[in-house]
Amino acid sequence: MISKKSIKQTIIDFPFFKDMTGVDFDFLFNEDAIENYPKRALVFKQGDKADRVFVIISGWVKLNNMNEEGNISAVQLLTVGDVFGIETIFDGGFYFYSAEAVGDECRLLEIPSAALKERARLSHNFSVKLLNTMSHKIQDMQIAGACLILGDASRRVACLLSRLSSWMVGKGGVLKLPYEKSVAAIQLGMNQSTFSRALAQLEDLGVKSDGSEIIINDFSTLSGHCCSHCPIPEGLCDGRRMESVKKSKAV
Amino acid sequence: MISKKSIKQTIIDFPFFKDMTGVDFDFLFNEDAIENYPKRALVFKQGDKADRVFVIISGWVKLNNMNEEGNISAVQLLTVGDVFGIETIFDGGFYFYSAEAVGDECRLLEIPSAALKERARLSHNFSVKLLNTMSHKIQDMQIAGACLILGDASRRVACLLSRLSSWMVGKGGVLKLPYEKSVAAIQLGMNQSTFSRALAQLEDLGVKSDGSEIIINDFSTLSGHCCSHCPIPEGLCDGRRMESVKKSKAV
DNA sequence: CGAGTGGTTGAAGAGTGTCAAACAGTGTGG
DNA sequence: CCACACTGTTTGACACTCTTCAACCACTCG
C-alpha cells in the first residue's frame, strides 16, 4: 500500500504530468478521483458515453473491441503512467472500445472529460501536452501493430517478452508476467494454445517458463530472434536489445 | 487537371482545414508548396528528418515500415483530405515510416513542420484542430487494425472492398480499385496470391473481378459477410452497410 | 515480336485454430 | 486432512488456411 501523499509524488513524474504547470496539475489531480478496480473489473464498456479520461497509477488495463460472437481483439495493454480515453473527448464522445482491469491492484486516476477539455481551452501549455501524448500514442500503436505482423508465433511472443523485460538490467533475469498468459495471447492476436506452444519453442533460446515467471538467460538472444525481423526503426522500441550488427561484410 | 484556383477551393473543405480561421489557413497554405509525385515515387524514407507535414490533395499514399529483409508491413493507405506526418513534429522529429505514392496523380500539399508547430503555439484554435485530427487518426488506426484480425482472408478482402466503396450510392456498382491489388494485399497483411484467391471466393456473394474493376452486385451482402464479425461499433466504420439485424428472435 | 509487369493458378508444406483431455494450483467445505 | 470444484495452462490429434515457389496468363510497351 502506498499512502495518498506518495501517490501525488509518483504521478507527478509520469510523462503526462511531467513539466506540467502547477495550475494545470491541480486542475486535473484530485485524490478523491482515484478508483480501485479488482481483477477483471470493467472500467467502461464499448459504446458508453465518454465522460472520463484515465491515468493508470498502478496495475494493467486491457483495451479491446468485441464483436457479437464475443470474439475479442485486444487493442492495447497499458500500464503505469499510460493515459487512455483521451482521444474520445475530441472525437466522438463515446468510448469505441472497452477497458478492463487485468492483474491485481489496478488504480486509476479519473479525470472528467469536461475538465480536461476546458483546461485545453484555457491553457496553451496543456494543449501541447495533449498533442505530445497523442503523438506518442500513435507511435505506440504502430509498434504494437508491427509486432502483430512479425511472422510466426514464437517471434511475436519473443517480441512481447522483450518489451515486457526492457526495464530489467543485466544479461538475463526472471520476468514475472504482469497478466495472464491468455491475455497475452489475445494481445498478440493468437490462440492460447499457440501461445503456450510458442513459449515452449523459445526454450532453445534460453527461455524457460515456470508458471507466471519466465526465466530469460540472455535478453539479447531473445531480442535477436524477433527484432531482426521487426520493421520498427532502431531506437523507437524499448524491447530492442540485440547487439548492433557490424556491417563489415554486408553489401 | 484542376486549376490552382480550384485547388484552394477544394482543400478548404477538407476536414483538416474546415472551420479553420483565415489567418491559420493562410499561414499553412501555399500554392508553391504543392508537389506532384508519379506512381511509386518515394515521398520520404523511414528515418528521414521530419521537416514537413503532408495533406493529400489527390491520389493515394502508402505508409509502411520495412525491415532489413525488405518485408513490408503497410501501416496505412491514405487518400484525399488525409493528413500524415503530423505526429512526428510532437514526438521524435524523424519519420518512423516511409511514404510512397501509389496510383497516379498524387498531389501533396507540403507544410513545413516548423510553421505548423509555430502556428500551434500561436493559435489556440489551431491546437484544437490538431488534437481533433490526431484523435481521428487514432480511431482510423483502430479500425484498420480490427480489419486485420477479422478472421479469414475473404472477410478481410470484403472489409476492404466495403470501405473503398462506401461512397457509392445504390444497391450495387462497379468499384475501380484505386491502387494495385498487390498493394491491397499488403494492406490486409496477406500474400498477393491469397488476395487473388480470396477475391475469387467472393464470387458467391456477387462480387466479380475484372482487372482493376470490381463488380459488386449488392453492397449489403458484401458488408454482411465481414461486418457481422467486426468488433468496431456501429456508426464508426463507413464500410458498414448491412441491413440492421432485427433482434426479434435472438436471445 | 520479345521483354517487362501485374495477376492468376497449381501443388506442397508449414503454421494455426479447434476441440478435447489432462494437468497444476487454489480455495472451500466437510 | 482429504475430497471436490474451479480456474489457468499445457498437450495431443486433426483439419484447415495461408504461404511459398513456381509456372503460366493477359496486357503493355519498345
Side-chain angles (χ1 to χ4, degrees), chain A:
Chain A
M1 281 291 171
I2 316 173
S3 72
K4 290 237 170 149
K5 196 81 183 176
S6 77
I7 284 184
K8 185 168 177 178
Q9 289 305 317
T10 306
I11 73 169
I12 219 165
D13 283 332
F14 288 175
F16 183 64
F17 293 111
K18 193 99 183 173
D19 303 324
M20 193 179 277
T21 67
V23 182
D24 284 341
F25 182 84
D26 292 338
F27 203 90
L28 302 178
F29 180 70
N30 176 1
E31 295 194 358
D32 298 332
I34 296 176
E35 291 284 339
N36 287 279
Y37 291 88
K39 193 171 183 171
R40 218 152 306 185
L42 204 61
V43 180
F44 56 76
K45 223 172 65 235
Q46 170 175 347
D48 283 357
K49 192 158 166 295
D51 52 358
R52 291 162 299 165
V53 172
F54 302 81
V55 182
I56 305 181
I57 295 172
S58 71
W60 287 76
V61 172
K62 174 176 67 126
L63 309 184
N64 62 246
N65 289 110
M66 194 184 286
N67 67 7
E68 288 124 29
E69 295 146 2
N71 287 336
I72 286 176
S73 66
V75 181
Q76 287 169 6
L77 274 152
L78 306 175
T79 189
V80 179
D82 288 327
V83 181
F84 64 95
I86 201 170
E87 69 286 346
T88 57
I89 62 171
F90 295 101
D91 198 37
F94 293 89
Y95 299 118
F96 52 98
Y97 44 76
S98 300
E100 180 189 323
V102 295
D104 307 308
E105 299 217 20
C106 181
R107 251 188 326 214
L108 307 179
L109 171 63
E110 309 196 351
I111 305 170
S113 299
L116 212 137
K117 208 165 184 173
E118 169 76 357
R119 201 60 211 157
R121 210 175 54 77
L122 295 176
S123 160
H124 193 271
N125 265 334
F126 187 64
S127 298
V128 173
K129 171 59 80 179
L130 291 183
L131 284 168
N132 271 297
T133 305
M134 286 204 199
S135 298
H136 205 73
K137 193 172 270 294
I138 289 176
Q139 198 160 307
D140 282 347
M141 288 178 75
Q142 193 119 353
I143 291 176
C147 180
L148 284 178
I149 336 182
L150 201 58
D152 82 5
S154 81
R155 274 196 238 286
R156 299 217 289 279
V157 172
C159 173
L160 179 64
L161 295 182
S162 288
R163 284 184 285 148
L164 286 178
S165 64
S166 64
W167 57 273
M168 296 168 70
V169 293
K171 194 185 176 204
V174 178
L175 168 69
K176 166 107 176 124
L177 280 181
Y179 39 82
E180 286 163 12
K181 290 181 179 174
S182 52
V183 173
I186 293 171
Q187 179 183 12
L188 296 177
M190 68 178 69
N191 206 289
Q192 182 173 359
S193 323
T194 307
F195 182 90
S196 180
R197 280 185 261 259
L199 192 54
Q201 278 178 37
L202 292 180
E203 241 185 273
D204 299 340
L205 283 83
V207 175
K208 216 171 290 174
S209 165
D210 175 25
S212 67
E213 303 198 328
I214 314 282
I215 302 145
I216 301 171
N217 288 345
D218 183 0
F219 294 128
S220 72
T221 306
L222 180 65
S223 165
H225 182 57
C226 50
C227 300
S228 63
H229 298 260
C230 181
I232 296 290
E234 191 98 35
L236 289 184
C237 176
D238 295 334
R240 181 170 299 204
R241 292 199 191 193
M242 332 187 271
E243 284 122 26
S244 56
V245 186
K246 292 272 163 62
K247 299 221 165 179
S248 47
K249 284 203 170 183
V251 182

Side-chain angles (χ1 to χ4, degrees), chain B residues 26-246:
Chain B
D26 293 339
F27 204 90
L28 303 177
F29 179 70
N30 176 1
E31 296 194 357
D32 298 332
I34 295 176
E35 292 282 340
N36 287 279
Y37 291 88
K39 193 172 182 171
R40 218 153 303 185
L42 203 62
V43 180
F44 56 75
K45 223 173 63 234
Q46 170 175 346
D48 284 357
K49 192 159 167 295
D51 52 357
R52 290 163 299 166
V53 172
F54 302 82
V55 182
I56 305 181
I57 295 172
S58 71
W60 287 77
V61 171
K62 174 177 67 131
L63 308 183
N64 62 245
N65 289 110
M66 193 184 288
N67 67 7
E68 289 126 28
E69 294 148 1
N71 287 336
I72 286 175
S73 67
V75 179
Q76 287 168 7
L77 274 152
L78 306 175
T79 189
V80 180
D82 288 329
V83 181
F84 64 95
I86 201 170
E87 69 285 348
T88 57
I89 62 172
F90 296 101
D91 198 39
F94 293 89
Y95 299 118
F96 52 97
Y97 44 76
S98 301
E100 181 189 321
V102 295
D104 308 307
E105 298 217 19
C106 180
R107 251 189 325 215
L108 307 179
L109 171 64
E110 310 196 350
I111 305 169
S113 298
L116 212 137
K117 207 163 186 174
E118 169 77 358
R119 201 60 212 158
R121 209 174 56 76
L122 295 176
S123 160
H124 192 272
N125 265 334
F126 186 64
S127 298
V128 172
K129 172 58 80 177
L130 290 183
L131 284 167
N132 271 296
T133 305
M134 285 202 199
S135 299
H136 204 74
K137 195 173 269 297
I138 290 175
Q139 197 161 308
D140 282 347
M141 288 177 75
Q142 193 120 352
I143 291 176
C147 180
L148 283 178
I149 335 180
L150 200 58
D152 81 6
S154 81
R155 274 197 239 285
R156 300 217 288 280
V157 172
C159 173
L160 179 64
L161 295 181
S162 287
R163 283 184 287 148
L164 286 178
S165 64
S166 63
W167 57 274
M168 295 167 71
V169 293
K171 194 184 176 207
V174 178
L175 169 69
K176 165 106 177 128
L177 280 181
Y179 39 81
E180 286 161 12
K181 290 181 179 174
S182 54
V183 173
I186 294 172
Q187 179 183 12
L188 296 176
M190 69 178 68
N191 207 290
Q192 182 173 358
S193 324
T194 308
F195 182 89
S196 179
R197 279 185 261 259
L199 192 54
Q201 277 179 37
L202 292 179
E203 239 184 275
D204 298 341
L205 284 84
V207 176
K208 216 172 292 176
S209 164
D210 176 27
S212 67
E213 303 199 328
I214 314 282
I215 304 145
I216 302 169
N217 287 344
D218 184 0
F219 295 127
S220 72
T221 306
L222 180 65
S223 165
H225 181 57
C226 50
C227 300
S228 62
H229 299 260
C230 181
I232 297 291
E234 190 97 34
L236 290 183
C237 177
D238 294 333
R240 182 170 296 203
R241 294 199 190 191
M242 328 187 274
E243 284 122 26
S244 55
V245 186
K246 291 273 162 62

